[in-house]
């Protein structure tokens, strides 16, 4: 009968054998990823030729200084107000119907184009009153009056009287 195995010896690789195994593994990975490596090298070459690689390297080296400047700029009251106003405007826009927003923007564009057309005629009170008969003008005036009413109601909702 054979003797039972009581001791297992683990083969330890020498430093040279480990390096050979690593190099062999890298060679295999290079052969498998040849196309991707060629594209990566091409991109790196283009970045280097255009100077962007050097700029990116400089930015990475100066990342602490860039972060300090960025944080200093962001914490300015004007930027904080800009961010807060942008968030408030985005919140307001989300409560509007997209169709109405599109219609309003198209109307603004058409109104600006109409306003740019040359017209040297003076506007008298009579011509102003007569223009209210135009359905387009009347529609815009009604919209404007309802807009002003809603704006005034909201402005007065803070409890302060003018």
């Amino acid at each position: 009968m054979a003797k039972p195995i009581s001791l297992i010896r683990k083969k330890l690789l020498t430093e040279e054998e480990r390096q050979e195994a690593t190099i062999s593994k890298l060679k295999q990975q290079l052969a498998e990823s040849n196309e991707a490596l060629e594209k990566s090298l091409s991109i790196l070459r283009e970045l280097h030729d255009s100077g962007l690689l050097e700029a990116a390297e400089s930015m990475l080296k100066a990342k602490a200084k860039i972060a300090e400047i960025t944080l200093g700029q962001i914490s300015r009251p004007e930027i904080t107000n800009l961010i807060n106003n942008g968030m408030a405007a985005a919140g307001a826009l989300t409560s509007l119907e997209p169709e109405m927003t599109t219609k309003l923007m198209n109307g603004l564009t058409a109104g600006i184009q109409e306003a740019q057309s040359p017209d040297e005629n003076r506007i008298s009170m009579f011509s102003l009153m007569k223009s209210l008969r135009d359905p387009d003008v009347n529609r815009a005036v009604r919209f404007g009056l309802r807009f002003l009413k809603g704006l005034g109601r909201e402005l007065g909702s803070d409890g302060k009287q003018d």
Side-chain angles (χ1 to χ4, degrees):
M1 201 177 206
K3 282 171 81 179
I5 299 174
S6 60
L7 181 64
I8 299 174
R9 293 187 184 187
K10 186 176 179 183
K11 183 179 178 189
L12 296 175
L13 298 176
T14 65
E15 184 65 32
E16 188 176 300
E17 289 172 328
R18 267 190 293 219
Q19 287 178 355
E20 278 297 319
T22 303
I23 289 172
S24 174
K25 194 175 183 179
L26 282 173
K27 282 181 183 179
Q28 182 182 357
Q29 288 176 344
L30 284 171
E32 292 172 357
S33 306
N34 185 39
E35 188 177 330
L37 285 171
E38 285 178 2
K39 285 184 180 181
S40 298
L41 289 173
S42 173
I43 291 170
L44 282 173
R45 187 173 25 260
E46 288 296 325
L47 289 172
H48 179 352
D49 292 346
S50 67
L52 289 174
L53 194 58
E54 185 178 341
E57 180 185 20
S58 298
M59 285 176 62
L60 286 172
K61 287 179 181 176
K63 63 183 172 251
K65 187 69 177 167
I66 291 172
E68 180 183 331
I69 291 169
T70 303
L71 288 174
Q73 291 299 314
I74 288 176
S75 63
R76 290 180 27 224
E78 300 88 12
I79 302 301
T80 305
N81 287 343
L82 174 68
I83 292 169
N84 290 338
N85 288 335
M87 290 173 57
L93 284 175
T94 59
S95 67
L96 296 175
E97 294 294 326
E99 296 82 20
M100 184 59 182
T101 305
T102 301
K103 198 175 201 180
L104 186 59
M105 294 309 291
N106 290 340
L108 285 173
T109 303
I112 290 170
Q113 289 172 348
E114 183 76 24
Q116 289 177 340
S117 63
D119 186 7
E120 298 297 323
N121 297 334
R122 280 193 71 195
I123 296 178
S124 65
M125 283 300 280
F126 182 71
S127 66
L128 187 59
M129 298 305 271
K130 187 176 173 182
S131 67
L132 287 175
R133 290 186 189 153
D134 182 335
D136 295 331
V137 172
N138 193 281
R139 190 177 308 112
V141 169
R142 276 187 312 188
F143 179 85
L145 290 173
R146 288 193 308 264
F147 169 79
L148 290 173
K149 183 171 182 151
L151 177 63
R153 185 181 318 114
E154 190 62 31
L155 289 174
S157 69
D158 62 2
K160 295 180 183 175
Q161 292 291 325
D162 292 331

